[in-house]
Amino acid sequence: GLSLSGGTQNATVQGCELVDISASGLTIGTAMSGYDALALERRDAQIAVLDNRIEHVAQEFFGAVGILTTFTHNLTILHNEIAHVSYSCVSIGWGWWSRAPLALSSRTEIGWNECWDHMRVLGDGGGIYTDSPMPGTTVHHNYVHDEANRTVNPDRAGNDGGAFYHDGGSTGIVNSHNVVRNPYNPQARLLWASSIPAWQVHNVTVEFLYSDCLDRHCFGSFCASDCNVTNLTAVSAKRI
């Protein structure tokens, strides 16, 4: 695949086809000790990912994803199609809650993407997955549909995960005007529930979600009180 790291700035990845790849299709950012206190001006920043097709990735390294970003600033991921992946289509953030005071990821925009046929091998991920604090991040106008199931792979690991999955430590995110159709999981998690305070989700808003499966969305009884879920609309699959 393609990797941008080591302080890459003012770059655009546009109109590419990343297909049939052993690991992740596109990786942006650096995740390692020593970058914890990295000055903002030296981080991977001002990067646009536009109008790309990413398919059949993570073919040998199943824990890889379509697009992975770790410690980044001012990143846009718009108008991409990501499909046929072993794990998540898009994974944003790194480090869960343990790096919270440092806010190593910030201002990511994920919009107008189509993500489908994901989680073909592994569980505990999503069409669009986040973890760790990322203030100023927006996830909007994405279409996530037809998550893979055990008909595709009888040996798929686990049922957990979902279309949009804001995992432990996710903070500072607005998820709005997204559409979900035909998720596989019995509970297509939006906000991960944890009884461990250090792993709870904070300051995440989910609003104007349109889905044919609202009964399958789990919002978590241990999410912090500053998370808001409003304006969920049930739509038949035929109308999506």
Side-chain angles (χ1 to χ4, degrees), residues 5 9 25 50 70 72 75 80 82 89 91 130 186 208 211 215 227:
S5 63
Q9 297 188 0
L50 313 171
T70 55
T72 62
L75 175 67
N80 302 282
I82 305 103
C89 288
S91 180
T130 67
F208 301 106
S211 174
D215 60 319
C227 293

Side-chain angles (χ1 to χ4, degrees), residues 5-9 30 34-35 37-45 71:
S5 63
T8 299
Q9 297 188 0
T30 304
Y35 275 71
L38 191 63
L40 186 61
E41 61 269 18
R42 292 176 52 209
R43 295 210 197 133
D44 303 282
F71 302 156

Side-chain angles (χ1 to χ4, degrees), residues 97 133 135 166-167 169-175 191-192 194 197 199-207 219-230:
W97 188 257
H166 299 299
D167 203 354
S170 292
T171 303
I173 302 167
V174 175
N175 179 320
L191 299 175
W192 185 63
S194 175
W199 287 2
Q200 287 182 4
V201 174
H202 289 269
N203 191 26
V204 173
T205 295
V206 178
E207 59 185 4
F219 299 105
S221 58
F222 294 103
C223 293
S225 60
D226 55 3
C227 293
N228 298 299
V229 179
T230 61

Side-chain angles (χ1 to χ4, degrees), residues 2-232:
L2 177 62
S3 177
L4 306 178
S5 63
T8 299
Q9 297 188 0
N10 301 307
T12 299
V13 179
Q14 185 171 19
C16 297
E17 292 191 359
L18 303 171
V19 179
D20 194 18
I21 294 171
S22 292
S24 293
L26 174 62
T27 303
I28 303 174
T30 304
M32 60 193 313
S33 60
Y35 275 71
D36 290 359
L38 191 63
L40 186 61
E41 61 269 18
R42 292 176 52 209
R43 295 210 197 133
D44 303 282
Q46 286 75 245
I47 298 172
V49 180
L50 313 171
D51 309 309
N52 301 288
R53 183 170 69 93
I54 301 173
E55 296 184 356
H56 297 287
V57 299
Q59 295 295 289
E60 293 180 295
F61 297 91
F62 299 140
V65 299
I67 298 174
L68 170 66
T69 78
T70 55
F71 302 156
T72 62
H73 178 68
N74 279 350
L75 175 67
T76 56
I77 301 173
L78 308 177
H79 299 286
N80 302 282
E81 180 183 6
I82 305 103
H84 314 305
V85 296
S86 300
Y87 190 34
S88 301
C89 288
V90 179
S91 180
I92 307 297
W94 192 263
W96 291 267
W97 188 257
S98 61
R99 304 174 188 270
L102 302 169
L104 295 171
S105 302
S106 58
R107 298 183 183 175
T108 298
E109 179 186 7
I110 309 163
W112 297 288
N113 301 287
E114 181 178 6
C115 303
W116 60 287
D117 194 27
H118 53 291
M119 312 294 292
R120 292 175 62 87
V121 178
L122 301 181
D124 199 24
I128 296 176
Y129 170 94
T130 67
D131 78 71
S132 76
M134 52 187 73
T137 290
T138 58
V139 181
H140 65 87
H141 296 95
N142 299 282
Y143 179 31
V144 180
H145 63 96
D146 296 302
E147 177 185 343
N149 55 45
R150 286 203 168 105
T151 300
V152 174
N153 178 12
D155 298 320
R156 175 183 150 157
N159 291 331
D160 52 344
F164 297 90
Y165 187 2
H166 299 299
D167 203 354
S170 292
T171 303
I173 302 167
V174 175
N175 179 320
S176 68
H177 295 90
N178 293 293
V179 176
V180 177
R181 180 174 65 83
N182 191 28
Y184 164 60
N185 293 331
Q187 291 184 319
R189 297 177 179 176
L190 278 163
L191 299 175
W192 185 63
S194 175
S195 59
I196 303 172
W199 287 2
Q200 287 182 4
V201 174
H202 289 269
N203 191 26
V204 173
T205 295
V206 178
E207 59 185 4
F208 301 106
L209 174 73
Y210 301 88
S211 174
D212 67 338
C213 53
L214 289 181
D215 60 319
R216 285 199 249 171
H217 288 298
C218 166
F219 299 105
S221 58
F222 294 103
C223 293
S225 60
D226 55 3
C227 293
N228 298 299
V229 179
T230 61
N231 295 298
L232 308 183

